[in-house]
Amino acid sequence: MNFELNEEQQMLADTVERLVRNTYSFEQREAFYQSPRGYSPEFWRQLSELGITSVPIAAEYEGFGGTGVDNMLVMKELGRGLCLEPYLHSQIYAAGLFEQLGSAEQRQSILPAVAAGERLLTVADEEAGSHYHPEAIECQAVPCERGWRLSGRKRVVIGGELAHTILVTARMSDGEGVSLFLLDPAAEGVSRTSYPCIDGPRACDLALADVYVEADSLLGPAGKAAPALAYQRGRAVAAQCAEAVGSMEEAFRLTLDYLKTRQQFGSPIGRFQALQHRMAEMRGELELARSMTILAACVADDPDSESRSRRLAAAKFTVARASQLIAEQSVQLHGGIGMTWEYSLAHHAKRLVMLTHQFGDDDFHLGQYSALLEIPRQASQQVA
């Protein structure tokens, strides 16, 4: 595949790379992690001033109208810097659901502020036991006078601690389908249990006790949100693959530098053939992951189809396997220092492992890919 960036895309990639390099050192990242907010409001402000927060938002809502490739360029550099800001969950996943399901009034009232970086969104679609299926939920929406009552529990809502609006999935009380609601975290009956995740970002668990939301808080038709959730999760998967590739590239670089400088028996350990073979294997997996990430970015905004879903599942499976291998091999090649809290490699390793479990792990996406292969096979058998 001949994949070349145009001038605007190259400028976008260079801008984000330079910003992360100059303002997001590992030491600064640790300070952000320990801060009350868990990320850097100043860095987020710089992202908004440079127009980076507007990249995934459509132009009619004061956004850049970026493509899956543009999202890939941003997320790759954010992954390289282990950035803690909830860019993926707010600007890509939640905003994408808003654009797809929201009414004209809902989109116009919320998305310009999201594009400007003034309003944070997140999605609460995971529950205990749902196992990567956002439609397999128990949280219920019961119609009431002038609105709805939401009851249930959500888990691991990334960015939920500071989000201004949370998009909550709930099953209709009659059992007919899944709906998506806009939730004010300060509403009566909402409680949040916040915590830092092991890989850096902060999340919260939500408890909804008969929470009232108004009728205009419903996004899209009642009970019809599942297709949009599946489609936007595909866009999020493509962006997440790019984040993982950025982190893998940095882990690989750190490991290569270490092998060139660590001395044993009077020479750098990188001269040992066994270690060279392991680095070659890591590089091969990294290149494969990079190619599949490009493919995912190119199809992320395509209309929903079996072909799109199959390619996204293949990309996530490939990147997840590469992430695990590079995380493990990088730590092993470093030895004990590879798991030292004060060394950035340990944090890249943790981040890569956790990324493999968000939006479906490798086994889940392998199953999805296999199931999608069965459909054309069955059709060909019927023709024969």
Side-chain angles (χ1 to χ4, degrees), residues 181-371:
F181 296 89
L182 305 181
L183 176 69
D184 180 359
E188 183 179 356
V190 179
S191 61
R192 290 182 285 184
T193 303
S194 303
Y195 48 85
C197 298
I198 191 174
D199 55 329
R202 295 201 178 185
C204 73
D205 293 342
L206 280 180
L208 309 176
D210 200 30
V211 179
Y212 170 74
V213 294
E214 296 182 355
D216 60 2
S217 295
L218 176 66
L219 275 184
K224 304 296 183 182
L229 284 164
Y231 182 82
Q232 295 300 332
R233 281 172 78 93
R235 294 180 66 244
V237 162
Q240 188 189 62
C241 287
E243 181 181 0
V245 166
S247 183
M248 280 190 279
E249 289 180 349
E250 184 64 11
F252 183 88
R253 183 192 68 80
L254 290 169
T255 305
L256 184 60
D257 289 347
Y258 181 78
L259 296 185
K260 289 179 178 179
T261 57
R262 176 71 167 89
Q263 296 281 325
Q264 192 173 49
F265 304 115
S267 65
I269 60 175
R271 292 185 179 178
F272 299 155
Q273 192 174 53
L275 302 188
Q276 292 176 1
H277 288 170
R278 292 170 73 173
M279 288 298 294
E281 181 185 12
M282 289 169 60
R283 183 55 183 259
E285 291 296 321
L286 176 56
E287 291 300 327
L288 181 58
R290 185 182 290 127
S291 297
M292 291 302 292
T293 296
I294 293 173
L295 175 62
C298 290
V299 304
D301 295 328
D302 287 354
D304 191 20
S305 66
E306 293 169 4
S307 174
R308 172 184 180 269
S309 298
R310 191 165 55 245
R311 291 175 180 179
L312 290 172
K316 181 60 190 292
F317 171 79
T318 303
V319 172
R321 286 295 177 92
S323 296
Q324 294 178 50
L325 183 140
I326 290 177
E328 293 169 0
Q329 292 290 336
S330 296
V331 170
Q332 290 183 15
L333 289 170
H334 273 82
I337 193 176
M339 287 304 295
T340 303
W341 185 263
E342 292 78 9
Y343 186 37
S344 62
L345 177 71
H347 298 263
H348 279 287
K350 288 189 294 183
R351 183 66 178 149
L352 287 170
V353 171
M354 294 307 296
L355 284 176
T356 65
H357 294 282
Q358 290 181 9
F359 300 116
D361 58 17
D362 52 345
D363 289 335
F364 173 81
H365 283 282
L366 180 60
Q368 295 289 97
Y369 184 83
S370 300

Side-chain angles (χ1 to χ4, degrees), residues 33-61:
Y33 174 76
Q34 299 292 340
S35 68
R37 299 180 68 90
Y39 70 92
S40 171
E42 175 62 22
F43 181 72
W44 188 259
R45 183 187 63 79
Q46 291 176 302
L47 287 176
S48 64
E49 289 179 350
L50 291 170
I52 308 302
T53 55
S54 70
V55 168
I57 313 298
E60 55 263 43
Y61 309 112

